Amino acid sequence: EPEVTQTPSHQVTQMGQEVILRCVPISNHLYFYWYRQILGQKVEFLVSFYNNEISEKSEIFDDQFSVERPDGSNFTLKIRSTKLEDSAMYFCASSEGGQVNQPQHFGDGTRLSIL
Amino acid sequence: QQQVKQSPQSLIVQKGGISIINCAYENTAFDYFPWYQQFPGKGPALLIAIRPDVSEKKEGRFTISFNKSAKQFSLHIMDSQPGDSATYFCAARRKTSGSRLTFGEGTQLTVNP
């Protein structure tokens, strides 16, 4: 069964540094998402992306964050000038279409630790 | 208005018992209500989902009950097994194309053998 792949599984970064989290969505999927989960808390939406544009973003997704689809397979989340509170699990998800009942398939996440 | 509230925070059930997890929402624009199952070290995986035009959906041992007027929905796991031990998240989504999932706080289910 095709799956969403995320790398690295764990990223340790010094506060203030930039980090790029990488995702390979399922190949025929057109909608891409980033979510994060701070330890012990609920999963929170960050951003959705379709047709090379951001289609929706949350209040968490400020100027510190950016997303990009640099080629036909990768989808990246860049966090500039990381802060301690950016420590979390970051999940990438993709869906075949944008219809409400099209399931979002999640990767296993990247654990980001900011020191 | 964007929140989905989930209870209980944790649940312990004996093998063979029924696990019940409840969620409530306020935003009437929500049009799709999935449940996700998450094992440690893994991402959330879609378990079962319902639209508000039906009151119940059953898939194997998993059933969603939906009460549109009360804006509540629940997950029932029949004949709970130790392998069902995981964190369960309810979620909701608006009808807008490509819209986000809004998750509940999660329920950590433990099924004792």
Side-chain angles (χ1 to χ4, degrees), chain B residues 35-110:
Chain B
W35 285 88
Y36 280 81
Q37 180 188 55
Q38 185 180 30
F39 292 105
K42 295 290 188 180
L46 179 65
L47 189 62
I48 186 173
I50 198 168
R51 298 289 299 273
D53 52 348
V54 297
S55 60
E56 186 174 284
K57 184 173 182 180
K58 184 175 181 179
E59 289 183 2
R61 296 185 294 110
F62 301 92
T63 300
I64 300 178
S65 297
F66 189 87
N67 186 329
K68 188 174 181 178
S69 60
K71 288 183 279 188
Q72 295 175 349
F73 58 110
S74 59
L75 176 69
H76 292 64
I77 306 174
M78 312 299 289
D79 187 26
S80 299
Q81 299 296 312
D84 297 331
S85 298
T87 300
Y88 292 81
F89 292 95
C90 63
R93 192 178 183 192
R94 289 177 291 120
K95 204 172 183 179
T96 311
S97 181
S99 62
R100 70 178 74 180
L101 286 165
T102 299
F103 283 88
E105 296 89 347
T107 296
Q108 188 165 349
L109 171 66
T110 302

Side-chain angles (χ1 to χ4, degrees), chain A residues 38-54:
Chain A
I38 295 172
L39 186 63
Q41 298 185 23
K42 65 181 175 182
V43 179
E44 300 175 290
F45 170 79
L46 292 177
V47 66
S48 59
F49 191 86
Y50 169 70
N51 199 26
N52 281 319
E53 289 184 345
I54 290 174

Side-chain angles (χ1 to χ4, degrees), chain A residues 99-113:
Chain A
Q99 294 88 341
V100 68
N101 61 347
Q102 289 269 357
Q104 294 182 20
H105 299 266
F106 285 75
D108 287 338
T110 293
R111 178 172 299 283
L112 178 62
S113 300

Side-chain angles (χ1 to χ4, degrees), chain A residues 66-100:
Chain A
S66 62
V67 288
E68 191 179 29
R69 187 154 164 82
D71 53 45
S73 60
N74 291 283
F75 179 51
T76 62
L77 174 69
K78 181 188 291 186
I79 310 175
R80 287 179 283 274
S81 189
T82 49
K83 299 176 275 195
L84 292 176
E85 54 264 38
D86 294 328
S87 295
M89 282 290 289
Y90 287 80
F91 292 105
C92 174
S94 68
S95 63
E96 187 173 353
Q99 294 88 341
V100 68

